[in-house]
Amino acid sequence: MSGCPHGSSGSGYPYGAPPPAQPYYGAPTSYGGPPAYWSPFAALVPSAFPPGTDPNVVACFQMADQDRSGFIDDFELQRALSSYNQSFSLRTVRLLMYLFTSSNVRKIGPKEFNSLFYSLQNWRNIFERFDRDRSGKIDAAELREALLSLGYSVSPVVLDLLVSKFDKYGGNNRAIEYDNFIECCLTVKGLTEKFKEKDTMYTGSATFTYESFMLTVLPFLIA
Amino acid sequence: MSGCPHGSSGSGYPYGAPPPAQPYYGAPTSYGGPPAYWSPFAALVPSAFPPGTDPNVVACFQMADQDRSGFIDDFELQRALSSYNQSFSLRTVRLLMYLFTSSNVRKIGPKEFNSLFYSLQNWRNIFERFDRDRSGKIDAAELREALLSLGYSVSPVVLDLLVSKFDKYGGNNRAIEYDNFIECCLTVKGLTEKFKEKDTMYTGSATFTYESFMLTVLPFLIA
């Protein structure tokens, strides 16, 4: 796998270096063809090749930073993550930015982008591992396994609530698409981390003041 | 004020009884004209007049219950609440249903509708009291006063977060429109009540297990 998290690979490798040896879950696409389904940055075309370590990350950052401000804002990130058959809502993007910067600044710099890059890569790999028929959706049991593989164990009741919240179509055949899966992962990861910050003794319980409760929860609501 | 929460009044009073003496914040409209801006049920036309106490509520319920199921589902409620210049997102509607039924059943019966009716009436009155120039928006200071008049005192930090979350347009002149005001009220009311359930001794602090924390917070997320 190479390029932007799950970006172009194989003959079209745009950075002048061979792709690093990494687990590979997606089909390669020829560069210049339609963006690969599994690439969060497929909408981007590289404009420069930066030297140095981790060139994929640097290149993706520079591609996303369209105004060359040195930061990526919410609209730039949304554009970078969306491709022809995969869109990210501004809500998902802002939740990503909040959780990778721990602020409401809505700008991410190179350091945060690095973490974001590998998390997206990881989530995409996990999603594809469970979306075996390439339908672009995973069901409740698969979501449970996917969250487990990320280190989050949720009860059946919480799982049911997650599926009801992140299944955008409703109906009987509940399933979660990739963008909602990302939002679901972000939500579980973010809420669990916030809870753990208050549960420093690992008792399984956490105490909040009203103020800290509101400030913990509100950022996860509508962005 | 009479009719569906802030619905038609004056000469067009459709229920054969004079409107009850209540504080009045909106301009009357003639019945049959365009729906009043301030009516959450203005999209509805009454089809029958039920006898008995509280006829406004019963009539509105019957109007909203288009399939005569005896319950109002999320789509029926959305339709009943939306009018030509005021739309309610399905998210807001589902948050309303969740908080007035304390479940994810997404159906409300007469009893819950009664509470919903008076809460909407109350919130509309408060919104109009603070939207003095009839712009359809209130600013941060007015939101703070509006929440105070509902009995919720929030800190400047929480207020700032609420405005940043519920201002749908962003930008420098932050302001909240009616539907987002309702969602903001629902969120503050709901989270505060959930917190108080855990703070039975009124200490200002509440302890959650991880499970109860997740089950408390998740229903407030994207519906």
Short mmCIF file of all heavy atoms in Angstrom, two decimals, chain B residues 24-27 37-38 124 127-137:
data_model
loop_
_atom_site.label_atom_id
_atom_site.label_comp_id
_atom_site.label_asym_id
_atom_site.label_seq_id
_atom_site.Cartn_x
_atom_site.Cartn_y
_atom_site.Cartn_z
N TYR B 24 -48.81 36.33 25.02
CA TYR B 24 -48.92 36.30 23.57
C TYR B 24 -47.75 37.05 22.96
O TYR B 24 -47.54 38.22 23.21
CB TYR B 24 -50.24 36.94 23.17
CG TYR B 24 -50.47 36.87 21.69
CD1 TYR B 24 -50.90 35.68 21.11
CD2 TYR B 24 -50.22 37.96 20.88
CE1 TYR B 24 -51.08 35.60 19.75
CE2 TYR B 24 -50.40 37.89 19.52
CZ TYR B 24 -50.83 36.71 18.96
OH TYR B 24 -50.99 36.62 17.61
N TYR B 25 -46.99 36.32 22.11
CA TYR B 25 -45.79 36.95 21.57
C TYR B 25 -45.80 37.10 20.07
O TYR B 25 -44.99 37.81 19.51
CB TYR B 25 -44.54 36.16 21.97
CG TYR B 25 -44.38 36.08 23.46
CD1 TYR B 25 -44.81 34.96 24.17
CD2 TYR B 25 -43.84 37.14 24.16
CE1 TYR B 25 -44.67 34.90 25.54
CE2 TYR B 25 -43.70 37.09 25.54
CZ TYR B 25 -44.12 35.96 26.23
OH TYR B 25 -43.97 35.90 27.58
N GLY B 26 -46.70 36.42 19.40
CA GLY B 26 -46.67 36.45 17.94
C GLY B 26 -47.81 37.28 17.39
O GLY B 26 -48.80 37.54 18.06
N ALA B 27 -47.66 37.69 16.15
CA ALA B 27 -48.73 38.44 15.50
C ALA B 27 -49.81 37.47 15.04
O ALA B 27 -49.50 36.39 14.55
CB ALA B 27 -48.17 39.19 14.30
N TYR B 37 -45.49 32.29 10.47
CA TYR B 37 -44.08 31.97 10.64
C TYR B 37 -43.84 31.22 11.95
O TYR B 37 -43.07 30.31 12.04
CB TYR B 37 -43.28 33.26 10.61
CG TYR B 37 -41.97 33.20 11.33
CD1 TYR B 37 -40.94 32.39 10.86
CD2 TYR B 37 -41.79 33.91 12.50
CE1 TYR B 37 -39.76 32.32 11.54
CE2 TYR B 37 -40.60 33.84 13.18
CZ TYR B 37 -39.59 33.05 12.71
OH TYR B 37 -38.41 32.97 13.38
N TRP B 38 -44.58 31.60 12.98
CA TRP B 38 -44.28 31.10 14.31
C TRP B 38 -45.09 29.88 14.68
O TRP B 38 -45.13 29.50 15.84
CB TRP B 38 -44.49 32.22 15.34
CG TRP B 38 -45.66 33.08 14.99
CD1 TRP B 38 -45.65 34.15 14.16
CD2 TRP B 38 -47.01 32.92 15.41
NE1 TRP B 38 -46.90 34.68 14.04
CE2 TRP B 38 -47.76 33.95 14.79
CE3 TRP B 38 -47.66 32.02 16.25
CZ2 TRP B 38 -49.13 34.08 14.99
CZ3 TRP B 38 -49.03 32.15 16.44
CH2 TRP B 38 -49.74 33.18 15.81
N ARG B 124 -41.15 28.35 21.66
CA ARG B 124 -41.45 29.33 20.61
C ARG B 124 -41.63 30.72 21.22
O ARG B 124 -41.12 31.71 20.72
CB ARG B 124 -42.72 28.91 19.87
CG ARG B 124 -43.07 29.82 18.72
CD ARG B 124 -42.20 29.52 17.52
NE ARG B 124 -41.59 30.71 16.97
CZ ARG B 124 -40.82 30.69 15.90
NH1 ARG B 124 -40.51 29.58 15.29
NH2 ARG B 124 -40.30 31.81 15.44
N PHE B 127 -38.26 32.01 22.26
CA PHE B 127 -37.48 32.40 21.08
C PHE B 127 -37.95 33.75 20.56
O PHE B 127 -37.15 34.64 20.28
CB PHE B 127 -37.60 31.33 19.98
CG PHE B 127 -36.73 31.58 18.79
CD1 PHE B 127 -35.39 31.23 18.82
CD2 PHE B 127 -37.24 32.18 17.65
CE1 PHE B 127 -34.57 31.46 17.72
CE2 PHE B 127 -36.43 32.42 16.55
CZ PHE B 127 -35.10 32.05 16.58
N GLU B 128 -39.25 33.92 20.47
CA GLU B 128 -39.79 35.19 19.93
C GLU B 128 -39.55 36.36 20.87
O GLU B 128 -39.37 37.49 20.42
CB GLU B 128 -41.28 35.04 19.65
CG GLU B 128 -41.51 34.03 18.55
CD GLU B 128 -42.89 34.13 17.93
OE1 GLU B 128 -43.77 34.69 18.59
OE2 GLU B 128 -43.03 33.65 16.81
N ARG B 129 -39.54 36.08 22.16
CA ARG B 129 -39.29 37.16 23.12
C ARG B 129 -37.90 37.75 22.89
O ARG B 129 -37.68 38.94 23.04
CB ARG B 129 -39.42 36.61 24.54
CG ARG B 129 -39.67 37.68 25.58
CD ARG B 129 -39.59 37.10 26.98
NE ARG B 129 -40.39 35.88 27.13
CZ ARG B 129 -40.22 34.99 28.09
NH1 ARG B 129 -39.27 35.17 29.01
NH2 ARG B 129 -40.97 33.91 28.17
N PHE B 130 -36.94 36.85 22.52
CA PHE B 130 -35.56 37.31 22.36
C PHE B 130 -35.23 37.70 20.93
O PHE B 130 -34.27 38.43 20.68
CB PHE B 130 -34.59 36.26 22.90
CG PHE B 130 -34.70 36.12 24.39
CD1 PHE B 130 -35.30 35.01 24.97
CD2 PHE B 130 -34.22 37.13 25.21
CE1 PHE B 130 -35.42 34.91 26.34
CE2 PHE B 130 -34.33 37.03 26.59
CZ PHE B 130 -34.94 35.92 27.16
N ASP B 131 -36.01 37.23 20.00
CA ASP B 131 -35.80 37.60 18.59
C ASP B 131 -36.61 38.86 18.32
O ASP B 131 -37.60 38.86 17.59
CB ASP B 131 -36.24 36.45 17.68
CG ASP B 131 -36.12 36.81 16.21
OD1 ASP B 131 -35.27 37.68 15.88
OD2 ASP B 131 -36.88 36.24 15.40
N ARG B 132 -36.14 39.98 18.89
CA ARG B 132 -36.97 41.19 18.91
C ARG B 132 -37.16 41.79 17.51
O ARG B 132 -38.18 42.39 17.23
CB ARG B 132 -36.36 42.22 19.85
CG ARG B 132 -36.43 41.76 21.31
CD ARG B 132 -35.96 42.83 22.28
NE ARG B 132 -35.87 42.25 23.63
CZ ARG B 132 -34.80 41.64 24.10
NH1 ARG B 132 -33.72 41.52 23.36
NH2 ARG B 132 -34.80 41.13 25.33
N ASP B 133 -36.16 41.62 16.67
CA ASP B 133 -36.29 42.22 15.33
C ASP B 133 -36.90 41.24 14.33
O ASP B 133 -36.90 41.52 13.13
CB ASP B 133 -34.93 42.72 14.83
CG ASP B 133 -33.92 41.58 14.68
OD1 ASP B 133 -34.25 40.43 15.05
OD2 ASP B 133 -32.81 41.84 14.21
N ARG B 134 -37.44 40.14 14.80
CA ARG B 134 -38.10 39.14 13.94
C ARG B 134 -37.18 38.68 12.79
O ARG B 134 -37.63 38.44 11.67
CB ARG B 134 -39.39 39.71 13.32
CG ARG B 134 -40.48 39.96 14.32
CD ARG B 134 -41.18 38.64 14.65
NE ARG B 134 -42.36 38.85 15.46
CZ ARG B 134 -42.33 38.95 16.79
NH1 ARG B 134 -41.18 38.87 17.44
NH2 ARG B 134 -43.44 39.13 17.47
N SER B 135 -35.88 38.58 13.10
CA SER B 135 -34.94 38.13 12.07
C SER B 135 -34.96 36.62 11.93
O SER B 135 -34.40 36.07 10.99
CB SER B 135 -33.52 38.58 12.44
OG SER B 135 -33.11 37.94 13.65
N GLY B 136 -35.61 35.96 12.91
CA GLY B 136 -35.59 34.50 12.88
C GLY B 136 -34.34 33.92 13.51
O GLY B 136 -34.10 32.72 13.44
N LYS B 137 -33.53 34.79 14.13
CA LYS B 137 -32.27 34.34 14.75
C LYS B 137 -32.09 35.00 16.10
O LYS B 137 -32.53 36.14 16.31
CB LYS B 137 -31.08 34.73 13.87
CG LYS B 137 -31.03 34.05 12.53
CD LYS B 137 -29.95 34.66 11.68
CE LYS B 137 -30.03 34.13 10.25
NZ LYS B 137 -29.31 34.99 9.31
#
